[in-house]
Amino acid sequence: MANTTPDNPHASERSATLFDEAQQFIPGGVNSPVRAFRGVGGTPLFFNHGEGAWLIDEDNNRYVDYVGAWGPLILGHCHPAVIGALQEQLSRGLGYGASTAAEVDIARTICKLVPSIERVRLVTSGTEATMSAIRLARGYTRRDKVVKFEGCYHGHVDGLLVKAGSGALTLGEPDSLGVPKAYTDLTYVLPYNDIEAMKALFKEHGDEIACIIVEPIAGNMNMVPPVPGFLETMRELCTEHGSVLIFDEVMTGFRVALGGAQSVYGIKPDLTALGKVIGGGLPVGAFGGRKDIMDCIAPQGGVYQAGTLSGSPLAVAAGQAMLREIQKPGFYEELGATTEAMLAGLKEQARAAGIPFTTNQVGGMFGCFFSGEDSITRFDQVMACNVEQFRKYFHVMLNNNVYLAPSAFEAGFVSAAHGQAELDTTMAAAKKAFASL
Ligand SMILES: *Cc1c(COP(=O)(O)O)cnc(C)c1O
């Protein structure tokens, strides 16, 4: 218990030791950068297991989990239906490198639940889904230019690791070393929720644009919903100019509603990228959409796309079990109500402590902002939030058994396993956290 302090009642010795060891073998000690706690400072926790809405670390501390493996665990940890389906498949083998009945079944279910998807192909990550959707849009339109929005993340696809250039209509610049300028020269970057900028770009360059890719609810700059008219305008511009509209619903799909963000806002994209929830916690992604576009993929068409582990029987089994659970009546109503109650509680605690604080929410996905603004709809507003306050808040929450994403710029997730006990723990922690700011 050497590093226990009055402010930190938890020992986290074993996590600290593991992090030291990890850094000897893994770059930065982590297999994905945000896990390293650079955004909040301190030592990342190492987890041993999960139970419903709770995570248990290597020092046996328990936390209410608002990360949910970054979105997939909409049913919480170790849901019996998912674990049971996996055990059943395990006894029949891990993969055959050939087609299975279960793949047909999950494809049918995806097409039913997301009606804009007429054909769907499974891949193994969200990055693969967006990357493939973009190649397909380019192949279908025979155009090269892609439009993305500042603050949206679509996985670590080379041509999308782009930041805005200096002028509003300029092409982007690489946002990572190792990304050739020649790739990002093909990507326009626009401000999220800026309808006029989008119209201006299409007026000048519409006929060169293969596709727009967008998070219909931005979940990688904290959480920012679309303003009225934003998605409608991009739908109209794409139709008018023969460009493909790609909704990246890797985060929002089966998360904000059964039919994803497209069902919430009533917009029909041409292609949709899925990931996270669709795998029930296993590595799965998918992309799908209009039949005439999807028919351009090999072996039918000339756009190449493939994957050794695509449609892995284990991943499909977990996904099928999860999709059955979330179709049960009232699932999203309850998830949304739990999330709303939790955020109402946080706002009340913040108000009582006199801390400027606002939230965004759609279904089981939320954003919290240390900001005096009434509503957060733009990237620059997100960037102007008080990150120092978030860091303090994060650590007090952690020390009081609540695990939040270790960055001020990530969305949060509630699972169906979160209930009154978890909300009570969260509110007790939040009271201390806001009081400490
Ligand atoms: C997480 C995410 C991705 C990337 O998915 P990976 O499985 O991490 O490759 C792509 N798009 C969005 C919107 C995401 O949230």
Side-chain angles (χ1 to χ4, degrees), residues 125-127 153-155 215 220 248 250-251 276:
S125 70
T127 297
Y153 174 69
H154 305 291
E215 289 183 72
N220 285 285
D248 178 353
V250 169
M251 188 182 285
K276 298 197 167 112

Side-chain angles (χ1 to χ4, degrees), residues 104-190:
V104 184
D105 182 65
I106 198 169
R108 183 184 290 120
T109 305
I110 293 167
C111 292
K112 183 186 86 181
L113 298 180
V114 187
S116 73
I117 300 182
E118 297 170 343
R119 295 288 185 276
V120 60
R121 184 161 279 178
L122 296 181
V123 292
T124 26
S125 70
T127 297
E128 224 189 319
T130 58
M131 180 187 79
S132 305
I134 285 172
R135 183 182 307 136
L136 175 58
R138 284 175 162 156
Y140 172 78
T141 58
R142 318 244 165 171
R143 300 173 183 173
D144 291 341
K145 295 269 169 46
V146 169
V147 179
K148 82 170 284 274
F149 296 91
E150 193 176 24
C152 286
Y153 174 69
H154 305 291
H156 61 98
V157 180
D158 277 330
L160 298 180
L161 291 176
V162 183
K163 61 185 173 207
S166 38
L169 291 187
T170 57
L171 292 160
E173 291 170 13
D175 200 17
S176 162
L177 288 174
V179 174
K181 179 91 174 66
Y183 288 17
T184 58
D185 279 349
L186 300 174
T187 311
Y188 289 107
V189 185
L190 295 178

Side-chain angles (χ1 to χ4, degrees), residues 69-413:
W70 300 98
L73 299 182
I74 198 165
L75 302 176
H77 296 269
C78 299
H79 190 281
V82 175
I83 302 301
L86 284 170
Q87 279 165 342
E88 195 281 326
Q89 177 58 46
L90 276 174
S91 66
R92 292 191 289 127
L94 302 181
Y96 321 111
S99 298
T100 62
E103 283 172 282
V104 184
D105 182 65
I106 198 169
R108 183 184 290 120
T109 305
I110 293 167
C111 292
K112 183 186 86 181
L113 298 180
V114 187
S116 73
I117 300 182
E118 297 170 343
R119 295 288 185 276
V120 60
R121 184 161 279 178
L122 296 181
V123 292
T124 26
S125 70
T127 297
E128 224 189 319
T130 58
M131 180 187 79
S132 305
I134 285 172
R135 183 182 307 136
L136 175 58
R138 284 175 162 156
Y140 172 78
T141 58
R142 318 244 165 171
R143 300 173 183 173
D144 291 341
K145 295 269 169 46
V146 169
V147 179
K148 82 170 284 274
F149 296 91
E150 193 176 24
C152 286
Y153 174 69
H154 305 291
H156 61 98
V157 180
D158 277 330
L160 298 180
L161 291 176
V162 183
K163 61 185 173 207
S166 38
L169 291 187
T170 57
L171 292 160
E173 291 170 13
D175 200 17
S176 162
L177 288 174
V179 174
K181 179 91 174 66
Y183 288 17
T184 58
D185 279 349
L186 300 174
T187 311
Y188 289 107
V189 185
L190 295 178
Y192 195 80
N193 274 337
D194 187 336
I195 295 171
E196 291 315 312
M198 196 164 42
K199 284 185 178 165
L201 177 67
F202 269 83
K203 195 168 172 205
E204 215 174 305
H205 299 289
D207 298 344
E208 301 161 31
I209 293 169
C211 61
I212 294 183
I213 183 161
V214 65
E215 289 183 72
I217 298 166
N220 285 285
M221 47 165 154
N222 203 321
M223 185 204 147
V224 177
V227 296
F230 180 58
L231 300 176
E232 288 81 354
T233 303
M234 71 176 73
R235 176 64 279 176
E236 283 162 20
L237 288 170
C238 282
T239 304
E240 187 186 333
H241 292 272
S243 309
V244 174
L245 178 57
I246 305 173
F247 274 10
D248 178 353
E249 296 227 42
V250 169
M251 188 182 285
T252 53
F254 308 114
R255 163 57 65 183
V256 298
L258 191 54
Q262 54 195 276
S263 74
V264 173
Y265 299 105
I267 307 288
K268 196 172 169 186
D270 301 305
L271 294 177
T272 300
L274 295 167
K276 298 197 167 112
V277 172
I278 202 181
L282 268 77
V284 194
F287 67 102
R290 267 168 49 191
K291 177 184 178 306
D292 62 322
I293 303 179
M294 291 300 288
D295 280 349
C296 295
I297 300 172
Q300 224 154 338
V303 177
Y304 193 68
Q305 190 279 329
T308 303
L309 296 177
S310 294
S312 146
L314 276 179
V316 169
Q320 279 177 305
M322 186 277 310
L323 288 172
R324 276 194 293 273
E325 292 301 312
I326 66 177
Q327 289 182 69
K328 291 185 175 164
F331 180 88
Y332 285 93
E333 286 77 2
E334 198 174 315
L335 187 68
T338 308
T339 311
E340 207 176 315
M342 192 273 292
L343 293 176
L346 291 185
K347 276 190 282 202
E348 177 50 33
Q349 303 284 4
R351 200 193 51 75
I355 303 294
F357 181 80
T358 187
T359 64
N360 281 334
Q361 182 212 345
V362 182
M365 175 175 166
F366 65 89
C368 293
F369 305 88
F370 288 88
S371 164
E373 307 238 19
D374 292 336
S375 79
I376 304 273
T377 59
R378 298 191 320 267
F379 182 66
D380 59 300
Q381 287 177 304
V382 175
M383 297 320 279
C385 289
N386 191 329
V387 175
E388 226 14 81
Q389 277 186 337
F390 172 78
R391 287 189 185 129
K392 272 192 177 165
Y393 172 83
F394 170 87
H395 282 290
V396 180
M397 294 297 273
L398 192 66
N399 292 337
N400 289 279
N401 307 86
V402 177
Y403 189 69
L404 304 171
S407 158
F409 305 107
E410 300 288 346
F413 304 104

